[in-house]
Amino acid sequence: MHVPETAAPARLAKVHEPEANLEATLQAYPTKMSNALTILNQTFGYPAFRGEQEAIIGQIASGGDALVLMPTGGGKSLCFQIPALLRDGVGIVVSPLIALMQNQVDQVKQLGVRAEFLNSTQLIDAAERVQRDVLAGKIDLLYVAPERLLSAGFLQLMERMSIALFAIDEAHCVSQWGHDFRPEYLQLSILHERFPNVPRIALTATADELTRGEMIKRLKLEDARIFISSFDRPNIRYSVVEKQDARQQLLNFLREEHPGDAGIVYCLSRKKVDETAHWLKGQGIVALPYHAGMETDSRRRNQDKFLRDDSIVMVATIAFGMGIDKPDVRFVAHLDLPKSVEGYYQETGRAGRDGQPANAWMTYGLSDVVQLSRMIEQSDADETHKRVERHKLDAMLGYCETVTCRRQMLLQYFGEVGKPCGNCDTCVAPPQTWDGSLAAQQAMSTVYRTGQRFGAGHLIDVLLGKVTERMKSLGHDRLSTFGLGKDLDDKRWRSVFRQLVATGLLRVDVTGYGALLLNQASRPVLRGEHAVRFRQEADVEKKKTPKTRGKAPVDLPADRQDLLEALRTLRRALAETQGVPSFVIFHDTTLTQLAMQRPQNRAQLVAINGIGAQKLERYGAALLDVLRAHAA
Ligand code: ADP
Ligand code: ZN
């Protein structure tokens, strides 16, 4: 954007203006935006399109259909928002996430776009007003819940509207095989039948081919152009640490890498969620719990706080998830192993939607493998189902134990090839491996000699030669492997057993207390026919992966931290006055850039990402006050 300071700020005809300016604006500027890039620059305040955005916008703006597969944070919203501003009439956005509509509408309203929503949370009066405004051509974007859209009344109403496009968000909800299935989505093909000339764009972050086929078929998108983006999330740093004292490890991670940041901590059970949130609070962390067992009200309240505030740690089960549309989640931590790579990728994908550096961090140990294996075997599912779950768990374990690039492995899982990324723990500090054939034999032999009735804890005690009452009464102090493993310490042995289980060389007895069992694969190892290499666990205390920045990028000089803090305070005040989340006012990216570049006038302000005409008008003066106070 290059608006000279003296010139009147560029106005967009379809962009809402304060009443007083409206006449002047309409006279001074053409009534229809002709250029997508101009809208991107002036309304959204971004200098350039990302990836395929421009092609997608072109396809829709010229009246075609599109199916867009793009990862979370890829920038899907612009792909329908800009065509809706380019074309005559209202853009109708179907979204299943009623709770988020308000947020989305708030965000575009901040840009001066005339947006509203219609769903069941609204009072009748408000809904009627919105409908009147739509008919009067006063609305550019209308977010509608699918059940409302499909109601007879609304279908009739649409006949009387001028419609720019239909955007079907979270289009994977049409898939009966997915866990987000919404039956109403199946009826959305009606849009094509009733309004064949209105372009449609279906969007999702779900990548697999089965779902893709279903979306095309059920939404009648056979003629749509398909846009598939890479699912890589380069700003997310993946790391997995060996579980020791998980809570303490989490606390260190929060204190060292994310002081004051917003993030999500996933736990497997509700009980653990409550306990962890409580404990973190006791340690001075602003943490809130979220799980399906909580009262609806307190759950909603916590979610709301998390969205609004920019420094809350949400401790949650995976019930906290779909559509957490908060751009500044700086980390996602897993205290327990997720059940599948798909789940893991979706959960970690909630970090760093704004493209700023973010962490996906996980603690993982043998107990996770035991627990999940047991859950699978003890579930009521049939054998076919269990087999699928076991495969998924194996893939997840493979990810945890890998000595190669984690991102490469994740992308490969989704059918993409990539190079080592340089932004995961194994890339940053490549793990060593060691010849563990002898250790594996000693471990297996101990399993065998103790009758395949004990878990790793006792087996390690035997190997380390611990003389205890229990050991004596079991007679295990007389075993040939007693004290044979003193070359390795307790920690190293735990890693050995974990890796033996994770790679299928030992099995967990899931019917009892997690005793370890030999299996077919153990034999060649025991006989010395099959060499085993283990991953050398990094010494957690010594090896710190370079800091992934929290609030501010590492390269933000110390003297700018104060300025950034001042900008955040201003943002919080603005957000509170308007009753909206902070990110609705400005994203972190914008604040960081402001702190870096310290613009001193309006012309310099509009060069910042995320400051368009409307935000310049509204907040320019307040920003300049802060910036000038911190001038060099
Ligand atoms: P998605 O819906 O795909 O998860 P969003 O549409 O919410 O992603 O966009 C993610 C973030 O990227 C938002 O903060 C958005 O403002 C920003 N963004 C999108 N397109 C661009 C662009 N061309 N330049 C800069 N930022 C962009
Ligand atoms: Zn990597």
Side-chain angles (χ1 to χ4, degrees), residues 45 82-83 124 189 200 229 272 390 407 481 508 558:
I82 292 184
I124 294 179
S189 58
R200 293 170 305 148
S229 308
K272 189 157 171 187
R390 273 183 227 123
R407 184 182 318 272
T481 55
V508 178

Side-chain angles (χ1 to χ4, degrees), residues 405-407 420-424 427:
C405 172
R406 293 202 197 273
R407 184 182 318 272
C421 72
N423 191 27
C424 70
C427 277

Side-chain angles (χ1 to χ4, degrees), residues 40 46 48-50 53 71-78 325 353 587:
L40 182 76
Y46 295 136
F49 285 110
R50 266 194 206 154
Q53 281 176 333
T72 308
K76 287 187 282 299
S77 324
L78 285 188
D325 197 1
R353 291 176 69 120
H587 283 182

